[in-house]
Amino acid sequence: MAKLSIKVHDLEFQNPVTVASGTFGFGEEMTKFIDLNKLGGIFVKGLTIHNREGNDYPRMAETASGMLNSVGLQNKGIDYFIKHIYPNIKDYNTHIIANVNGSTIEDYIAVTEKLNELDKVPAIELNISCPNVKQGGMLFGISCPSAIAVTDAVRKVYDKTLIVKLSPNVTDIAEMAKAVEGAGADSVSLINTLLGMAINAEKRKPVLSTITGGLSGPAIKPVALRMVWQVYKAVKIPVIGMGGIMNATDAIEFFLAGSSAIQVGTANFIDPAISLKIITGINEYLDRHNFDCVEDLIGALEV
Amino acid sequence: MQKIVENHEVIETVHLNENSYVLRLKSPVEIPEIHPGNFAEIQVPDTMGVFLRRPFSILDVNYKNREISFYIKAIGSGTQKLGELQPGMQVNLIYPLGNRYTIPQGLKRALIVGGGTGIAPFILLGKELKEKGIETTFLIGGRTSKDILLTDKFSEYGTIEVTTEDGSMGEKGFVTSHSLFNRNDFPFEYVYTCGPDAMMKAVGHLVTQKGVVCEASLENMMACGYGICLCCVTPTVEGNKRVCYEGPVFNVSYLKWQN
């Protein structure tokens, strides 16, 4: 069996398969289906400083090979997480990584400061790319100066591994990655959802209450691979790739394009055990191609 | 609650009218305990454009023969495709999902009100009510007599009342205009409903005005069905709740019905 462990900055993962924020809850619901201890890591549902009810229903539209969502960061706030959820998940033998959101830089700092105190959260994912909130979110992630400002501010109050989650809704993703690398990010994760919309022609109305939402699923995989490749070539920090990964072959493609680790997202909605099947499939691929470790695949695309 | 994710073999598809059918499946493993109101997420095999699973209430279950069945109306490409499955074909299911209708201690007389595909959970509910010795009335509504289905099954568990909009069967009108709601002595202590939103809201309103508890099973669009995507939420007095996880069955006074 090949070696599956990888490193993101100085954080070692037992394998490179993690689950994406917003597609796995806080892991608790999934214990009925899989052993969480087998995952490389869990990027838990996005957290904000205060309780958020999210956007109105309907928040989801199925599209060709994918779906749109406009959940809008529904969560009970960071204090509720620390008090009621963290104690239940902290002892799993997998990395619990918190996804941090805010409407203002002060929000991001406040949430991060609280997370910095949690022993069993070894990293945060700074979400500057949520397309479904009116304030903050993606607005920070679509211009270099604001991405730098928020990354820099959070870096100053966070001692552990800082991952910045990038938006694909930009002209030049490599420039964004370089900008946050310069501001102190230890890693970048990409891509968040692509801004899209769905229309009900019969009713002449938008499907989503918010009109627009974030597109995910296999429909976005080619875009995600292209962006991972561009970012991999532009920065020195490790890249965590995601976007439409449905099986082990998709995951391998992301490693070849330059991902050190991957996040499984929308696929969790169709098969709650898909992440573990992907780990098995990666192992089989490595054996079949005589690789000793998954690290040898990172950016190994032959061009 | 134990859950399974398994390929099931199609036993048969029984067509009830032009677009409604019962899909009967055989599980490869022992079927976990199913409660009235529980649902399954079915993966539509090999269909472009049907990306997500489809949620369906569990119609009936036979633990001994490992059989589970669903009442499905073909309204889109997913439900159409499922109706075309042939015996022997495999289809992947996740279940049991969601909560259940509650049956309070000491309940004597219950009313079940439904229409359309909303009648699906009523066989399991009727069965359990009968086992507990509760006198049950089923009030089923439809546009015409052709929409009144499965009443032969329900009659095993209680009395049947029917309304149709065209008057072709039972009383003419909507379920809420049925004469049993106008009686001075509304004899039911608990009302269960499932069907179109507008119907459930009307039933809930009517029943709670009488001071009677009403439970409704909601049908919001879902991506996952097991509580992780937060897409199917409904507003409640305690904020947005997941229909797939905290529901699908809610006491109507807990809900903040949207208009």
Side-chain angles (χ1 to χ4, degrees), chain B residues 165-176:
Chain B
E165 287 170 43
D166 67 354
S168 55
M169 191 175 173
E171 293 186 16
K172 188 174 175 178
F174 296 118
V175 284
T176 41

Side-chain angles (χ1 to χ4, degrees), chain A residues 51 53 74, chain B residues 233-242 254 256:
Chain A
N51 175 67
E53 286 298 323
Q74 180 179 330
Chain B
V233 296
T234 190
T236 74
V237 295
E238 295 181 287
N240 283 330
K241 296 287 175 193
R242 296 166 288 188
Y254 182 71
K256 280 182 159 172

Side-chain angles (χ1 to χ4, degrees), chain A:
Chain A
M1 214 176 90
K3 177 171 144 309
L4 283 186
S5 62
I6 53 103
K7 270 181 121 176
V8 171
H9 182 54
D10 53 9
L11 186 62
E12 182 157 332
F13 288 71
Q14 59 187 344
N15 69 63
V17 178
T18 69
V19 288
S21 180
T23 68
F24 208 78
F26 293 97
E28 292 169 300
E29 293 85 354
M30 300 303 267
T31 56
K32 291 175 196 121
F33 296 107
I34 62 165
D35 180 0
L36 303 184
N37 298 305
K38 291 186 173 156
L39 290 169
I42 301 171
F43 288 77
V44 297
K45 174 70 187 162
L47 295 164
T48 50
I49 188 74
H50 300 299
N51 175 67
R52 279 182 65 94
E53 286 298 323
N55 295 318
D56 286 345
Y57 177 87
R59 298 173 166 186
M60 192 276 289
E62 187 178 42
T63 59
S65 295
M67 59 176 275
L68 289 161
N69 90 81
S70 62
V71 171
L73 294 174
Q74 180 179 330
N75 80 102
K76 293 195 164 115
I78 181 68
D79 292 335
Y80 183 93
F81 169 77
I82 292 171
K83 200 165 172 207
H84 300 287
I85 301 172
Y86 175 66
N88 305 331
I89 58 175
K90 70 181 178 56
D91 293 325
Y92 282 107
N93 181 34
T94 185
H95 289 319
I96 303 293
I97 299 172
N99 180 280
V100 178
N101 296 269
S103 303
T104 62
I105 288 183
E106 290 68 36
D107 284 357
Y108 280 103
I109 292 171
V111 174
T112 302
E113 280 176 334
K114 288 172 189 259
L115 289 164
N116 200 36
E117 305 300 314
L118 302 183
D119 290 344
K120 299 289 179 67
V121 174
I124 60 168
E125 180 178 51
L126 192 63
N127 189 356
I128 55 167
S129 43
C130 177
N132 295 325
V133 289
K134 286 200 187 91
Q135 291 173 326
M138 192 177 87
L139 292 177
F140 284 108
I142 54 176
S143 91
C144 283
S146 58
I148 289 169
V150 66
T151 306
D152 180 62
V154 166
R155 176 76 284 175
K156 288 194 171 87
V157 297
Y158 195 66
D159 308 326
K160 295 177 269 181
T161 302
L162 173 60
I163 302 160
V164 178
K165 187 168 183 178
L166 300 179
S167 171
N169 303 302
V170 294
T171 311
D172 189 342
I173 190 93
E175 281 307 309
M176 294 302 302
K178 279 196 277 189
V180 299
E181 179 184 39
D186 298 316
S187 168
V188 283
S189 58
L190 63 147
I191 60 176
N192 203 322
T193 55
L194 280 153
L195 196 59
M197 82 189 254
I199 292 174
N200 182 327
E202 290 302 312
K203 294 181 178 162
R204 293 182 288 282
K205 282 187 168 174
V207 178
L208 300 172
S209 70
T210 47
I211 305 177
T212 61
L215 181 64
S216 64
I220 71 168
K221 196 187 82 174
V223 178
L225 280 172
R226 181 265 293 179
M227 290 189 161
V228 165
W229 174 243
Q230 288 177 325
V231 168
Y232 174 71
K233 288 191 297 179
V235 297
K236 294 190 177 63
I237 52 177
V239 177
I240 301 171
M242 82 197 89
I245 296 175
M246 299 298 287
N247 53 50
T249 307
D250 292 340
I252 300 291
E253 291 169 17
F254 274 83
F255 296 131
L256 293 171
S259 301
S260 293
I262 56 117
Q263 293 183 16
V264 180
T266 304
N268 292 312
F269 300 157
I270 295 159
D271 181 354
I274 191 65
S275 47
L276 301 190
K277 290 175 190 166
I278 289 174
I279 297 170
T280 308
I282 290 170
N283 241 321
E284 284 166 7
Y285 178 92
L286 294 171
D287 287 348
R288 191 154 47 85
H289 290 272
N290 297 315
F291 282 98
D292 295 329
C293 61
V294 73
E295 278 173 334
D296 292 347
L297 280 181
I298 301 168
L301 187 67
E302 295 171 17
V303 286

